[in-house]
Amino acid sequence: MKSKKSNIDFSMIVIVLGFVFAVVAYFFISPDQSKQIIDLINNYILSNLGFVYVLLVLGSLFLGVYMGAGRFGHIKLGEEKKEFSEFAWAAMMFCSSMAAGFIYWGSMEWVFHYMKPGLGIIPFSAEAAEYAATIPLFYWGFSAWGIYLIPAVAFAFLRYNLKNERFDVSIACKPLLGKYADGIGGKIINIIFLFGILGGIGTALGIGSPLVSASLNHLFGIEDTPSLRFWVIVVVTVIFTISAYNGVKKGIRVLSNANIILMLLMVIFIFFIGNTGFIVKMQTTSLGLLIDNYFKMSTYLDPVNNGGDPESWLVFYWAWWLSYAIFMGLFIARISRGRTIRQVIFGGLGYGFAGSFSMFSVLGNFSMDMHLRGVMDVVKGVTENGGPTTVIEMYSKIPFGTVFILAILVASILSMATSFDSAAYTMAMVSSKQISLSGSPDKRLTIFWALTLAALPMVIMLFNGSLAHVQALSVVLALPTCIIYTIIVISCFKMFSDYEKTSGHSL
Ligand code: NM2
């Protein structure tokens, strides 16, 4: 038996920690300049490389559907029975990807598109409102969830069918890169993956913690300052560290089930308490608009006017989802033993879309209705006081408002914890040298990654960096992830055809 210590790949830890220290130190020494550098790279990517993200995401949706519906679909990932029930699987998949964004973006995203719809639509018009209710369903819809699924299949096949003892990223690149995926090459791949997560989770924390601090401010009158947000991150970190420490079965599954039930209760409550007629009508309208405009929404980069919207939204969102892609692929693989490829692909697309649709269309249309009926000027609230404060102010106006805000507080913390615990857990899997088929990574490693995940956004918040900087950082860190992502997708198909050649029978 190997000792636990020798199972940790320290080289990866040293490099990632070195990077985090370097960024943190730079923020201490020169906060303004470091924010400027992040913005500069971010702007370059937004205006020049958007097409890369767009083609990658659309391409992977096509390939995913092809993989699930085609001849590989029936392949079972491992011989065993399904490890998790349908509900637990869907809940864990959904909750590891969604954090407090379901409340924040769910309730407020429409405002930004209503003000600046682009696409030749007149701002604040009826058309702008319908478009604003629809486009979030696209940014959080099929293409988005589709990003995770080919990596999930690749990692699961490697692990459960080819019985690989490592759960790392470089192995999934091997069919295409051959020996270049070993040694230093492999380490670079794993490190790029770890950086991607740091950026992606940073953005989620950057959105969630102001929402939590705004609820604390409303409920208990605590002043909403950067240091309160800092402490919010500390509390969330403690919770998700404990959950990740307890692993998938005891920690992550339990927290995710609780989280999804609370999310659903909140959405059902708002559905009935709000203008249900308006919500249902807009949901139906949005479905048609979504289907009608799917490809336009997927590729529109505004080449002539270069107006910025919706191009920057598209690139930001795809970068953000892509920065989660490999981590979610690993995580979905971890919970998918015993499922077929078809179940993973269509389960991921179906549950993902259904979850996003119900949350965004109910919370968003509820809030749009409050605005259009003049109950509250939500647009003014967002532009003058910011999104988080406006979310809380709006929900304080409904019956049982205080209870609902308490629910927002708990759901934001829970949903952040259920994303970050799976992230820390997969980071620990990748930086372990070996994990037995039913085993878990070293708990110390899991704690270590949980703390590292929180470090960057904490520092950016402490230095009064805005959410825009955290978002920019995630777009920047997602770029190298795109390269690895592409390699994994191609490798997955190559892996299947190599397997057929060597085993002599078709899959
Ligand atoms: N996504 C966009 O705050 C959040 O809900 C995190 C992350 C799914 C990659 C969402």
Side-chain angles (χ1 to χ4, degrees), residues 163-325:
K163 308 265 184 264
N164 256 293
E165 287 227 320
R166 290 207 60 184
F167 227 139
D168 83 342
V169 185
S170 62
I171 289 180
C173 300
K174 221 170 148 81
L176 188 68
L177 298 186
K179 65 178 183 348
Y180 297 106
D182 298 329
I184 301 263
K187 289 222 189 312
I188 295 177
I189 291 173
N190 288 334
I191 287 166
I192 288 179
F193 149 77
L194 294 168
F195 282 159
I197 300 198
L198 286 178
I201 295 290
T203 300
L205 261 174
I207 288 160
S209 52
L211 194 61
V212 172
S213 60
S215 352
L216 287 172
N217 173 268
H218 180 87
L219 291 169
F220 307 108
I222 310 172
E223 208 190 330
D224 191 353
T225 55
S227 73
L228 178 64
R229 293 176 189 183
F230 176 86
W231 285 109
V232 167
I233 301 185
V234 173
V235 171
V236 173
T237 308
V238 170
I239 298 178
F240 80 80
T241 309
I242 296 173
S243 167
Y245 181 86
N246 285 316
V248 175
K249 285 202 167 148
K250 283 195 234 137
I252 298 176
R253 184 174 58 94
V254 176
L255 221 53
S256 296
N257 281 350
N259 186 204
I260 200 91
I261 291 171
L262 181 59
M263 281 171 159
L264 288 175
L265 286 177
M266 289 168 74
V267 168
I268 293 170
F269 176 71
I270 292 296
F271 181 73
F272 287 112
I273 212 133
N275 183 351
T276 313
F278 176 81
I279 296 178
V280 175
K281 256 173 124 172
M282 192 62 112
Q283 282 176 321
T284 317
T285 306
S286 290
L287 270 184
L289 285 176
L290 187 65
I291 297 171
D292 231 19
N293 294 293
Y294 204 84
F295 290 107
K296 188 171 179 183
M297 288 175 172
S298 297
T299 57
Y300 193 76
L301 290 174
D302 199 11
V304 176
N305 284 329
N306 275 318
D309 294 282
E311 181 191 12
S312 54
W313 280 94
L314 187 59
V315 177
F316 158 63
Y317 266 129
W318 282 179
W320 197 15
W321 284 88
L322 278 161
S323 71
Y324 269 51

Side-chain angles (χ1 to χ4, degrees), residues 307-455:
D309 294 282
E311 181 191 12
S312 54
W313 280 94
L314 187 59
V315 177
F316 158 63
Y317 266 129
W318 282 179
W320 197 15
W321 284 88
L322 278 161
S323 71
Y324 269 51
I326 303 175
F327 128 61
M328 281 299 294
L330 279 162
F331 184 73
I332 296 175
R334 167 66 188 85
I335 60 175
S336 297
R337 177 142 58 140
R339 287 173 187 271
T340 62
I341 290 184
R342 191 162 294 141
Q343 284 167 338
V344 171
I345 301 248
F346 292 110
L349 289 174
Y351 296 130
F353 181 75
S356 298
F357 182 85
S358 45
M359 292 177 185
F360 278 68
S361 70
V362 172
L363 301 182
N365 289 325
F366 166 80
S367 128
M368 184 185 278
D369 176 65
M370 295 276 273
H371 179 81
L372 295 179
R373 278 194 300 126
V375 181
M376 176 183 164
D377 193 336
V378 180
V379 173
K380 194 163 157 216
V382 170
T383 44
E384 287 181 6
N385 308 322
T389 317
T390 310
V391 172
I392 302 301
E393 196 194 326
M394 180 180 79
Y395 289 116
S396 72
K397 296 190 187 306
I398 64 174
F400 304 105
T402 311
V403 180
F404 194 80
I405 292 172
L406 195 64
I408 293 185
L409 177 72
V410 177
S412 309
I413 294 181
L414 264 187
S415 58
M416 282 196 271
T418 51
S419 288
F420 311 154
D421 59 2
S422 4
Y425 185 85
T426 42
M427 292 172 101
M429 289 199 306
V430 171
S431 49
S432 302
K433 288 188 180 150
Q434 239 177 19
I435 307 175
S436 69
L437 268 188
S438 52
S440 298
D442 191 316
K443 301 221 184 254
R444 289 167 302 172
L445 253 185
T446 314
I447 298 182
F448 165 79
W449 285 121
L451 299 179
T452 313
L453 272 179

Side-chain angles (χ1 to χ4, degrees), residues 49-64 142-144 146-151 298-299 301 314 318-319 321-323 325-326 478-490:
L49 296 176
F51 76 99
V52 175
Y53 295 90
V54 162
L55 295 179
L56 211 54
V57 172
L58 194 59
S60 79
L61 179 65
F62 279 125
L63 290 175
F142 288 116
S143 299
I147 295 175
Y148 299 156
L149 302 171
I150 297 181
S298 297
T299 57
L301 290 174
L314 187 59
W318 282 179
W321 284 88
L322 278 161
S323 71
I326 303 175
L479 192 64
T481 314
C482 289
I483 302 170
I484 310 294
Y485 180 82
T486 314
I487 297 174
I488 293 177
V489 171
I490 301 174

